[in-house]
């Protein structure tokens, strides 16, 4: 899998290069600003880009704007953005167009290497990966889910993260059949249209929980 990294902090950037290279990824480029990122994407056509939201010169949303541009101009490139803090408006902007091939993680998530690599692989394959803390903020600020059981709320949160039924079953240590029943109950209680597409399901769930 071919990866481009855009991160202005040299230590973090070099650490990501080592981490991914050691696990068999091909790092095509590792750059420090949004303009260099755009050039690297055009020149190397990677499978996925890892992008820090805050980059030079203003350290506000240069990375986010570059990510949105890449999703528009290079729709086959997955985009995984990093943030130091939970900023739900950025997640909403990223998902506004389409939920496939996109992820939003907190930088601390890299410490859990297995989860980080799984999320990166999911995004590169056209899936969605949202940080659990981002999902939690969206759910707390969004519509009421009081009609759901505690287990159904757990399943709802994992769906919002972009996990498949198999991934939810593994996370909760239950069978896929039980997950399917919970998903059907959730969609019925929340009045959502069911979908066989994981990405469309993510979008429906996020639109509901974010109000």
């Amino acid at each position: 899998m071919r990866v481009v990294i855009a991160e202005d902090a040299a230590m973090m950037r070099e650490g990501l290069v080592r981490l991914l290279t050691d696990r068999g990824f091909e790092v095509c480029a590792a750059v420090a600003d949004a303009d260099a990122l755009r050039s690297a994407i055009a020149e190397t056509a990677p499978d996925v880009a890892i992008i820090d939201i805050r980059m030079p010169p203003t350290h506000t949303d240069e990375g986010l704007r570059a990510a949105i541009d890449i999703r528009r101009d290079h729709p086959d490139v997955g985009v995984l953005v990093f943030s130091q803090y939970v900023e739900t408006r950025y997640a909403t902007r990223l998902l506004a167009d389409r939920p496939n091939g996109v992820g939003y993680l907190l930088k601390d998530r890299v410490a859990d290497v297995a989860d980080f690599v799984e999320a990166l692989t999911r995004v590169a394959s056209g899936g969605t990966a949202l940080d659990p803390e981002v999902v939690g903020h969206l759910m707390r600020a969004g519509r009421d889910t009081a009609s759901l059981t505690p287990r159904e709320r757990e399943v709802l949160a994992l769906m919002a993260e972009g996990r498949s039924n198999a991934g939810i079953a593994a996370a909760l240590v239950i069978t896929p059949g039980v997950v399917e029943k919970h998903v059907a109950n959730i969609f019925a209680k929340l009045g959502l249209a069911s979908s066989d597409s994981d990405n469309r399901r993510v979008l429906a769930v996020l639109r509901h929980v974010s109000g």
Side-chain angles (χ1 to χ4, degrees), residues 122-143:
R122 196 191 316 161
V123 169
S125 301
T128 307
L130 290 184
D131 194 282
E133 288 194 37
V134 174
V135 171
H137 277 253
L138 287 170
M139 292 182 69
R140 285 191 293 273
R143 297 175 184 173

Side-chain angles (χ1 to χ4, degrees), residues 23-170:
R23 283 157 183 80
F25 292 84
E26 179 186 348
V27 178
C28 305
V31 300
D33 63 70
D35 288 340
L37 166 63
R38 290 183 178 92
S39 296
I41 295 294
E43 292 168 6
T44 66
D47 299 301
V48 63
I50 302 172
I51 305 170
D52 184 9
I53 282 180
R54 298 176 182 271
M55 288 195 293
T58 68
H59 293 278
T60 53
D61 66 347
E62 282 87 353
L64 176 69
R65 287 188 279 114
I68 291 171
D69 289 347
I70 290 165
R71 281 172 59 73
R72 181 194 65 226
D73 300 335
H74 305 275
D76 293 333
V77 178
V79 169
L80 178 62
V81 300
F82 270 164
S83 179
Q84 192 70 44
Y85 309 103
V86 175
E87 300 184 77
T88 55
R89 69 186 186 279
Y90 290 159
T92 302
R93 284 176 64 185
L94 270 175
L95 291 160
D97 179 24
R98 51 193 169 86
N100 55 303
V102 64
Y104 182 120
L105 297 181
L106 296 182
K107 286 188 175 181
D108 290 347
R109 201 64 56 189
V110 180
D112 190 333
V113 175
D115 277 358
F116 168 65
V117 170
E118 191 276 332
L120 181 63
T121 302
R122 196 191 316 161
V123 169
S125 301
T128 307
L130 290 184
D131 194 282
E133 288 194 37
V134 174
V135 171
H137 277 253
L138 287 170
M139 292 182 69
R140 285 191 293 273
R143 297 175 184 173
D144 187 15
T145 57
S147 63
L148 304 183
T149 67
R151 177 61 91 185
E152 286 168 351
R153 281 194 287 273
E154 289 179 324
V155 172
L156 180 70
L158 291 169
M159 279 197 290
E161 289 176 27
R163 296 179 187 256
S164 64
N165 283 1
I168 294 170

Side-chain angles (χ1 to χ4, degrees), residues 4-18:
V4 166
I5 298 169
E7 164 63 60
D8 67 301
M11 187 173 296
M12 180 73 171
R13 185 172 65 249
E14 291 166 7
L16 285 169
V17 171
R18 286 196 301 271

